[in-house]
Structures are given as structure tokens and as C-alpha cells.
Amino acid sequence: MAKAKRIFVIADFKDESAKSIRMQPRMWVKGLIRLGHDVQRFSYRNMMLQYSFFGSKRIALNFARKKIEHILVEQLKRYNPDIVFILGLKYIDETTVLAMRNVARKAVFVSRDDDPFPDKDLNRIAIAKQTDILIATSSGRFLKTYKDAGISLCAFIPNVCDPDLQRKWDVGQEWQADIIFTGKPEHTRLDRNDQRYDLIRRLGKMKGVKVYGAFGIPRVEGIDYFYAISGAKIGLSINIANDVRLYHSDRLTNYISCGTFTLARRVPDSDLLFEDKVHLKYFETVDEFFELADWYLKHKQQREKIAMAGMQRAHNEFNCEKIARHMLNLIETGTYDAPWAEIL
């Protein structure tokens, strides 16, 4: 796209939180701006809370929706964007998208879904159906769900990284760990994936392991999040769904791009993103994870060689500018050039 575009990005930027610096929307905006485009950002949830007297997101959503929708539509009308990028399918609904389309008639509308199981959330599908293009961090059956819903163009585009912040930091002893997992308390409760629960529960009982967000260890945010990853010898990446082609949470990209050796639960065609034994090491079972972790903890040279190759791969292929360019090429031509591209 030679001509600079006006791109209106709607996302939950979490401006009120320290975690905002590691959020995917921030990286997308940085990539689009560095490519020479103008970006107007709209943090829907933050606006919603600002215009509500209630601290509860659920109550605020009902109380302030009409007001925020009016503000959003007015901004779109005055900005007259070329592209409207809905980065996350929470908080808004299909009527909001229709109102947006009514005032931005010439814009291409793109929606982005980075959550699993779209078939269990009909609102996400309803929102995506009002857009021209759906891009997702998963392929396979999750992407096909959107295609079957009638969206004309659906594409897999992976999570992005920001090498400015996601790199190997020189950190103090307080951040050192043999193995790390960063998550939420619910990751340690029985959920839809027994294997993940069992693995994290066993990790939580080991010395030299830090499961941030559980077992009495608080969550870590801001730049400390990258310090914690950098200080670990091994990072664990495992999804709530591990049978979906190319699907990984942003945890995988976060760990690898910070130069930490990563043991990741294999998903179909993972090697198209990161190659086994070159950029990371995949495992299939809980027992295999612990066997591999024990071996790589004892073999520093092999571990660090793979970790550095993985970081270089992430920085070269999944940085915010390159991934943003893939999306812009998709908008302009209906396709983009990458070995892991899948377009339905």
C-alpha cells in the first residue's frame, strides 16, 4: 500500500493497566504507524468505564453503551477512515458495527479474533459477519467456523511481537527461575483441558519454578513481565485447545521473542511457525514435558542455542511491522505471502 491510509483501530487497549505495554493492540498500532499510516485508536472498554458511574464492566456496558456508540460513530464520521480495524470482538455488538458502517461507507472493515471456540460465542460470529475480512490467530476448525458463517474472506495471521520490548533482558536474581508459566488463577483449576491443568499443577509443586498468577505468586505485568520471561531458563507454552491447526496463544510469541527456551505443546503444522529443535522444542504429553525440561536444564549450550535462534525467528518474521504488512496486503490483494498463510 504505497499511499498512506487512515486506519481507525477499535480495541481494548487496557490503558488503565500496567499490562497495556504488552497488549497485542499496542503492537499492531506501532506496526501500522511505522509502515507510514495514520492510526486513530479507540479504546472501547476504557471509554465505557469513563462514561459510567459503575465500576462493574457488565453494568457499565449496559449503562453507557448508547453514549459510547454515539461517540464512536461521531469520531468515525469526522476521521473518514480507509480501514476500520476491530481488534477484538468483546464489548461491541453487531448493531454497533452496522452503525459504524453507515457513516464509514468507503472503509474496509476488518475484524480480528484471538480467542478459541468461536462456535461457543455467537456474538463474536455476529460481529465478524458485519465485517469484510476476518483474521484470526487460529486456522483449522476455528477459522472454518467463521467461513461457514458466511464471511467472504477469512485468514490466519499469527500473534505479533515487539522487538523493542520483547528481547533478552539482563535481569537480577529476583527474576531467575528454572521454568516459568505466566497465566491466571483459572489456569490452575480444572477446565476444558485436563492436560494443561495436570501439567501446571505438577509444576506448582516444584522448586525453581514460578507459576505467575497462581500458587501464591502474584501476576506480573508491565516491563516486569518481560523481565520475568528473560530470567527463566525454560518457558512453558500450552493452550486450552491444542488440536487446532496453527493455534497458539500470545504466550508462545512472548516467550520465544524474549529469548527464553520454550517447550510448547505441539499443535498441527506448528513447524510452519517455529521449527522443532531449531527455534523451540515441542512436546506431546505431560510426562514428555518433564523429561525434556530435565534434559534441557542440564544442557545449557543446546538450550541457549535454540532460544537465540527462536528469538531471531520471532523478531524477523513476526514483528509488528511485518505482520501489519501481511494484513494490509490481504486487504489490497486478497492474499499475503508467508509459508503459514491460510486464506478461506
Side-chain angles (χ1 to χ4, degrees), residues 219-254:
R219 293 181 68 178
V220 61
E221 294 297 355
I223 200 70
D224 288 350
Y225 181 80
F226 303 126
Y227 291 167
I229 297 171
S230 293
K233 296 174 182 176
I234 296 175
L236 163 64
S237 175
I238 185 169
N239 306 311
I240 198 167
N242 298 287
D243 60 344
V244 178
R245 184 174 186 268
L246 296 173
Y247 171 66
H248 288 283
S249 73
D250 64 352
R251 187 178 296 108
L252 178 74
T253 310
N254 289 337

Side-chain angles (χ1 to χ4, degrees), residues 255-270:
Y255 289 4
I256 294 178
S257 61
C258 283
T260 295
F261 174 78
T262 302
L263 283 172
R265 176 64 167 85
R266 180 181 290 280
V267 305
D269 291 328
S270 277

Side-chain angles (χ1 to χ4, degrees), residues 54-240:
F54 306 99
S56 166
K57 288 184 292 185
R58 181 176 298 179
I59 297 175
L61 181 62
N62 294 325
F63 182 81
R65 181 188 295 277
K66 289 297 182 183
K67 177 67 174 177
I68 304 309
E69 182 176 304
H70 174 75
I71 295 171
L72 172 58
V73 168
E74 281 298 305
Q75 286 201 20
L76 274 171
K77 185 188 301 182
R78 307 305 177 188
Y79 187 61
N80 190 23
D82 299 297
I83 298 168
V84 176
F85 189 15
I86 304 171
L87 236 172
L89 304 181
K90 293 180 180 178
Y91 307 117
I92 66 173
D93 59 22
E94 60 181 313
T95 60
T96 303
V97 182
L98 287 170
M100 292 159 56
R101 298 208 70 140
N102 192 48
V103 298
R105 295 180 182 275
K106 295 181 180 180
V108 176
F109 277 70
V110 182
S111 52
R112 169 78 160 174
D113 192 8
D114 56 8
D115 286 326
F117 307 108
D119 55 312
K120 297 184 179 181
D121 189 344
L122 297 182
N123 184 58
R124 284 155 60 191
I125 296 175
I127 293 168
K129 285 177 67 174
Q130 303 304 325
T131 62
D132 303 299
I133 300 172
L134 179 282
I135 60 174
T137 55
S138 57
S139 183
R141 73 174 193 270
F142 290 167
L143 195 64
K144 190 173 183 298
T145 295
Y146 283 109
K147 186 65 177 180
D148 290 346
I151 301 167
S152 59
L153 185 59
C154 301
F156 165 76
I157 293 184
N159 286 301
V160 306
C161 75
D162 180 0
D164 295 338
L165 294 177
Q166 291 175 293
R167 54 185 175 83
K168 192 68 175 178
W169 293 87
D170 185 15
V171 298
Q173 184 62 37
E174 69 272 22
W175 298 113
Q176 304 298 319
D178 287 337
I179 305 173
I180 189 178
F181 180 82
T182 52
K184 304 174 183 178
E186 54 261 35
H187 291 149
T188 64
R189 297 196 293 266
L190 188 62
D191 57 18
R192 291 169 285 189
N193 191 309
D194 292 354
Q195 186 183 61
R196 184 171 73 167
Y197 169 79
D198 183 44
L199 202 165
I200 297 172
R201 181 174 54 83
R202 285 175 61 178
L203 271 182
K205 298 177 180 179
M206 294 173 57
K207 292 183 179 180
V209 172
K210 292 182 179 180
V211 181
Y212 286 98
F215 308 119
I217 301 177
R219 293 181 68 178
V220 61
E221 294 297 355
I223 200 70
D224 288 350
Y225 181 80
F226 303 126
Y227 291 167
I229 297 171
S230 293
K233 296 174 182 176
I234 296 175
L236 163 64
S237 175
I238 185 169
N239 306 311
I240 198 167

